[in-house]
Amino acid sequence: MDFGSSASANMIVTNTPAADLALTNLAYCSHADLHGFAVPGTELYLASVADSFVLSPSLRYTGHESIRNGHIALNGIQRRYARVSAGDTISVSRFIPPDNFDLAMLTLELEFVKKGTKNEQVDAVLLANQLRKRFINQVMTTGQRVSFEHHGNNYIFTVNQAAVGGQQNSNSPQRGMISSDTYIVFEAPYASGIKIVNQREAASSNIFKQKEFNLESLGIGGLSAEFADIFRRAFASRVFPAHVISKLGIKRVKGMLLYGPPGTGKTLMARQIGKMLNGREPKIVNGPEVLSKYVGETEKNVRDLFADAENDQKTRGDESDLHVIIFDEIDAICKSRGSTRDGTGVHDSIVNQLLTKIDGVESLNNVLLIGMTNRKDLLDEALLRPGRLEVQVEISLPDENGRLQILQIHTNKMKENSFLAPDVNLQELAARTKNFSGAELEGVVKSAVSFALNRQLSLDDLTKPVDEESIKVSMDDFLHALHEIIPAFGASTDDLERCRLNGFVECGDQNKENFQKAMLLVEQVKVSKGSPPFTCLLEGPSGSGKSALAATVGIDSDFPYVKIVSAEAMIGLHESTKCAQIVKVFEDAYKSPLSIIILDEIERLLEYVPIGPRFSHIISQTLLVLLKRLPPKGKNLLVIGTTSEVGFLYSVGFCYAFSVAYHVPTLKTDDAKKVLQQLNVFADEDMDAAAEALNDVPIKKLYMLIEMAAKGKSGGASEAIYSGKEKIRMSHFYDCLKDAVRY
């Protein structure tokens, strides 16, 4: 049977003549048919079977068991893959391999032929050598299954990945030919009973000092996902031999950027990565240290950092060690070109010099540059493109599980030495430390230890011996520490409480309904799958309780980030500075999964003056943009605004930036009576008269009048009033009310 370059013929499927031949992955045919599969110019025979996979045909010389013309013998696994049975007809054609068809890497998933076989340990180095020798010049296709024998056990491998050096048509099956240089990666499901050892030793390039990474032992907590991302993108390609990467046609990663809020572990991560690598000791450079007052000296300092790597690559080539350069605070020297106007152009020259060394005409392939910053926005954009600092990993605030890992790391030694009290619940502490960074959690542990140590000291006699066995760090110590260590990105609880000094009391159906609607918005934010920020405007007369309502929503929401933006904190600042502070609040909110921002007294933020009217257009535009800006993926935000000048906001179109608006009214007689009953400062017979006098009064003024009346004319009766021993005299109350109305 003769096959043309593209012609195919139908052949009859038959069983493999002998059981041992089923483990060869060969197809068997007659001598006459074999020549039809010859690859011109080679000694290879290749057959494309049913357009599914490519097999290497062979002969069978055993007399009566020889294969007849027009027949092809396939083993059970091959027939199952081609979906045929013995006696069926199948399409077979000669396969001409394209150029650069050798496999650079082959990923195989192992399993036993017979399910339930006892557990076996497989040496990846030995098995890879055996498979390369046994299946040399055979073509492997993604999804193909092959049976083989190894150390007395019958296995099946499934081809999960077949990567070749040449380009393949994306529409064609991913396949290639096994060569002596093919690097084989083995995988085995946990339930298979197969344990693969020495997988890393199978690579000719081993850049790591240890086989496995225990991040907790390295002092890294809550960053397992980030570390996995770094390993995949920056180090996975360096585990494989240089010739494998060359055949894949890619270049190894030369730089990565770790960015995120201060204290989240960027420097720790970079330092530990340097320790884990074999080869040269990492060079750690603090950004400002590179700068010099002498002309050209700064650029020379940058060149000197790469000198060792250049010499190593010139002398050893691909065998060169990996040179790691760690830049802390890289934003100090790699600012966007043209952004600084110092007249020297030094910062621009540093960026140019660094870009040339990393990815210039004579770029280095044995360098890994690790930069760290909490101001990614300041970096020159050319530094962040692929080929330079292309791996950009955000080291963000840890989640609850990450916080638990960090607390375990920092309390591990005191637990081993029996200094940690049994009542300490790290899981509860992790739940209560929302938006704490790794550094802040370490500060909590230090603070708790200081409370525990302080109990053992006496200020009267500091020389008194200390009983080490009595030192115990208790749960109370940690709770006290939580009041002492305030997270930079946490909820501003003190500011929230200042907005409701008298608490949040029941004062009418309208206010109750407003609170319920606002809390419903909170629930919607929690379940949102990504949308523009939820916005709510609380409007009403001055002193009607808008700020107290917003603060109560923030406290009851239990969101990790709640921040109040008020004009009080911006007194004396220029417009541009105010805008920068407001933008920073929103940027900080985007670092937390759930956030609430309270824009208190928007008219004061806008510097509104009724004469004119006049207001700040710059601040107005900044707020309008931020209110409509879509938060990052996975970050949900609720913005609550309060105003006493809703007419002005409507006139300038500001109200339309809010999704909903709730009116917070003054107190009616019945509402005022409810508040007075809760305060219990009037006699029962005076309650109705006092409530009637307080009709249409804002709740903030009500508290002020009650406080003035409670002090009396002498100014010292308030303690007896609030303790319940005395009641407010109506004459004093009416005097205060008269003065309040007058002014």
Side-chain angles (χ1 to χ4, degrees):
M1 187 177 297
D2 188 19
F3 298 92
S5 59
S6 59
S8 62
N10 292 327
M11 300 184 72
I12 300 174
V13 177
T14 184
N15 295 331
T16 305
D20 60 322
L21 301 182
L23 302 175
T24 62
N25 194 45
L26 298 174
Y28 294 91
C29 62
S30 67
H31 187 278
D33 292 335
L34 181 64
H35 293 290
F37 301 113
V39 178
T42 70
E43 297 181 359
L44 300 177
Y45 298 90
L46 296 175
S48 176
V49 180
D51 292 328
S52 299
F53 55 101
V54 177
L55 296 178
S56 298
S58 183
L59 298 174
R60 174 69 173 169
Y61 299 105
T62 56
H64 66 280
E65 291 185 1
S66 61
I67 309 298
R68 291 184 293 170
N69 293 343
H71 288 66
I72 185 168
L74 305 178
N75 63 34
I77 294 178
Q78 294 167 342
R79 295 196 303 273
R80 192 176 303 115
Y81 187 72
R83 297 184 177 180
V84 293
S85 301
D88 291 346
T89 300
I90 194 169
S91 174
V92 185
S93 62
R94 179 170 55 187
F95 180 80
I96 307 297
D99 295 335
N100 299 323
F101 198 56
D102 287 350
L103 284 167
M105 184 175 69
L106 192 63
T107 303
L108 306 178
E109 182 177 306
L110 300 179
E111 60 180 304
F112 290 112
V113 171
K114 293 183 179 180
K115 305 298 181 182
T117 306
K118 64 179 181 177
N119 295 344
E120 287 288 340
Q121 185 169 284
V122 176
D123 189 305
V125 177
L126 297 178
L127 182 57
N129 290 334
Q130 178 185 349
L131 293 184
R132 276 192 292 265
K133 183 178 179 180
R134 182 177 301 181
F135 299 113
I136 189 80
N137 294 331
Q138 288 198 30
V139 177
M140 295 295 166
T141 304
T142 302
Q144 182 177 351
R145 291 164 61 82
V146 177
S147 59
F148 66 96
E149 182 271 336
H150 178 66
H151 289 180
N153 288 316
N154 289 342
Y155 296 87
I156 295 176
F157 68 69
T158 303
V159 180
N160 286 343
Q161 183 180 4
V164 300
Q167 297 294 325
Q168 288 193 16
N169 189 334
S170 59
N171 295 324
S172 62
Q174 296 301 302
R175 56 168 59 118
M177 185 179 293
I178 293 181
S179 70
S180 58
D181 292 329
T182 300
Y183 182 73
I184 302 178
V185 178
F186 296 103
E187 300 173 345
Y190 178 78
S192 67
I194 301 173
K195 181 180 180 181
I196 299 171
V197 297
N198 294 335
Q199 178 70 74
R200 193 174 302 282
E201 281 72 6
S204 61
S205 173
N206 186 10
I207 64 171
F208 292 101
K209 293 179 180 178
Q210 61 251 58
K211 299 178 183 178
E212 298 179 357
F213 300 122
N214 184 346
L215 296 184
E216 191 168 330
S217 66
L218 296 172
I220 301 175
L223 297 175
S224 56
E226 289 83 353
F227 185 84
D229 193 23
I230 290 172
F231 181 86
R232 174 180 61 83
R233 300 187 62 188
F235 294 113
S237 63
R238 294 187 179 273
V239 173
F240 295 93
H243 70 270
V244 174
I245 304 303
S246 176
K247 289 183 178 180
L248 289 172
I250 63 173
K251 294 182 179 179
R252 287 167 168 160
V253 169
K254 301 174 185 176
M256 72 171 72
L257 178 70
L258 308 180
Y259 68 95
T264 50
K266 301 182 294 296
T267 304
L268 173 64
M269 174 77 82
R271 192 185 302 125
Q272 296 298 355
I273 287 174
K275 290 181 180 179
M276 291 186 297
L277 298 174
N278 274 323
R280 305 297 180 92
E281 189 73 18
K283 294 180 180 179
I284 301 177
V285 184
N286 292 321
E289 291 179 355
V290 178
L291 300 174
S292 174
K293 65 180 180 179
Y294 299 107
V295 177
E297 190 69 21
T298 301
E299 293 85 339
K300 181 179 181 299
N301 292 339
V302 174
R303 290 195 297 271
D304 290 343
L305 293 173
F306 294 86
D308 292 341
E310 288 178 337
N311 295 332
D312 200 10
Q313 180 162 298
K314 288 178 181 177
T315 56
R316 301 177 59 191
D318 289 340
E319 300 300 321
S320 169
D321 292 332
L322 178 64
H323 294 252
V324 179
I325 303 174
I326 299 174
F327 266 98
D328 201 4
E329 304 299 339
I330 194 173
D331 55 280
I333 62 172
C334 291
K335 290 183 173 63
S336 181
R337 285 171 288 184
S339 62
T340 55
R341 294 174 175 82
D342 55 4
T344 64
V346 171
H347 283 89
D348 292 359
S349 297
I350 295 174
V351 176
N352 293 334
Q353 185 71 78
L354 201 57
L355 294 178
T356 303
K357 288 298 180 184
I358 300 175
D359 193 30
V361 177
E362 297 181 358
S363 60
L364 301 172
N365 200 35
N366 61 344
V367 166
L368 180 64
L369 181 66
I370 304 176
M372 292 162 289
T373 181
N374 51 23
R375 293 298 306 274
K376 180 185 175 185
D377 55 300
L378 296 181
L379 297 179
D380 191 278
E381 61 181 12
L383 197 65
L384 304 179
R385 74 157 175 80
R388 291 161 183 173
L389 298 184
E390 59 182 286
V391 177
Q392 298 159 29
V393 179
E394 181 179 7
I395 309 298
S396 56
L397 297 172
D399 56 13
E400 184 172 331
N401 186 51
R403 294 194 297 272
L404 176 61
Q405 292 178 17
I406 294 171
L407 289 171
Q408 288 173 338
I409 289 171
H410 291 300
T411 59
N412 189 43
K413 283 193 175 181
M414 66 177 75
K415 184 177 181 180
E416 290 177 354
N417 295 288
S418 301
F419 286 140
L420 194 66
D423 67 333
V424 175
N425 188 337
L426 296 182
Q427 188 71 55
E428 180 183 345
L429 290 173
R432 299 181 65 162
T433 49
K434 295 177 181 178
N435 274 23
F436 275 69
S437 67
E440 288 162 347
L441 289 171
E442 183 181 4
V444 169
V445 176
K446 289 180 180 178
S447 178
V449 172
S450 71
F451 282 110
L453 295 178
N454 191 59
R455 286 198 302 271
Q456 307 301 320
L457 300 177
S458 173
L459 295 179
D460 297 331
D461 185 7
L462 294 176
T463 61
K464 181 181 178 181
V466 177
D467 183 10
E468 294 184 5
E469 295 183 358
S470 62
I471 298 176
K472 293 290 182 182
V473 184
S474 66
M475 188 66 176
D476 287 339
D477 295 328
F478 280 98
L479 296 179
H480 290 142
L482 292 180
H483 293 290
E484 192 170 75
I485 307 298
I486 306 299
F489 300 96
S492 53
T493 308
D494 293 340
D495 292 340
L496 295 175
E497 291 294 350
R498 285 186 61 195
C499 292
R500 55 169 209 174
L501 295 176
N502 299 293
F504 187 71
V505 298
E506 184 180 346
C507 55
D509 294 338
Q510 182 65 46
N511 282 281
K512 182 179 180 180
E513 183 180 349
N514 288 339
F515 177 72
Q516 291 174 343
K517 289 180 178 179
M519 290 305 297
L520 183 60
L521 282 177
V522 170
E523 295 302 320
Q524 290 177 335
V525 171
K526 289 181 179 179
V527 300
S528 175
K529 297 299 183 182
S531 62
F534 288 80
T535 52
C536 167
L537 180 64
L538 303 178
E539 55 88 11
S542 178
S544 58
K546 303 180 295 298
S547 299
L549 174 58
T552 303
V553 171
I555 293 174
D556 291 359
S557 69
D558 199 29
F559 278 16
Y561 183 91
V562 183
K563 194 75 171 181
I564 294 180
V565 180
S566 65
E568 176 186 350
M570 302 183 184
I571 296 175
L573 299 181
H574 191 268
E575 284 181 325
S576 59
T577 308
K578 290 183 179 180
C579 290
Q581 287 200 5
I582 294 172
V583 170
K584 185 178 184 303
V585 170
F586 276 81
E587 293 292 342
D588 290 345
Y590 297 151
K591 294 180 174 66
S592 178
L594 296 171
S595 307
I596 291 179
I597 295 176
I598 300 173
L599 303 176
D600 196 25
E601 293 188 296
I602 295 176
E603 65 275 9
R604 298 281 76 82
L605 290 172
L606 298 180
E607 302 178 1
Y608 166 68
V609 178
I611 301 174
R614 292 180 295 175
F615 64 96
S616 171
H617 290 277
I618 297 176
I619 299 177
S620 172
Q621 292 303 313
T622 299
L623 285 174
L624 286 173
V625 170
L626 292 174
L627 287 172
K628 295 181 179 180
R629 186 164 72 174
L630 188 69
K633 186 177 180 181
K635 314 294 184 182
N636 294 332
L637 174 64
L638 171 62
V639 181
I640 303 176
T642 70
T643 182
S644 302
E645 299 286 348
V646 67
F648 157 68
L649 295 186
Y650 270 115
S651 67
V652 296
F654 204 91
C655 285
Y656 301 109
F658 289 90
S659 304
V660 294
Y662 303 138
H663 178 68
V664 182
T666 55
L667 298 176
K668 301 304 178 185
T669 301
D670 292 341
D671 302 332
K673 185 176 181 179
K674 290 180 180 179
V675 177
L676 295 178
Q677 288 173 339
Q678 294 175 72
L679 294 175
N680 193 28
V681 292
F682 284 96
D684 292 340
E685 59 271 19
D686 296 333
M687 193 74 72
D688 290 336
E692 184 67 31
L694 292 170
N695 181 50
D696 206 28
V697 171
I699 188 170
K700 188 174 183 179
K701 183 171 286 189
L702 179 148
Y703 280 116
M704 181 196 70
L705 292 170
I706 296 300
E707 184 68 26
M708 293 171 61
K711 290 184 180 298
K713 293 183 179 181
S714 62
S718 60
E719 186 175 340
I721 296 293
Y722 287 115
S723 65
K725 296 178 181 179
E726 297 183 17
K727 300 297 181 181
I728 294 177
R729 297 181 183 181
M730 289 301 293
S731 58
H732 292 166
F733 172 67
Y734 284 128
D735 287 341
C736 296
L737 185 62
K738 180 178 61 175
D739 293 338
V741 170
R742 182 183 305 170
Y743 296 105

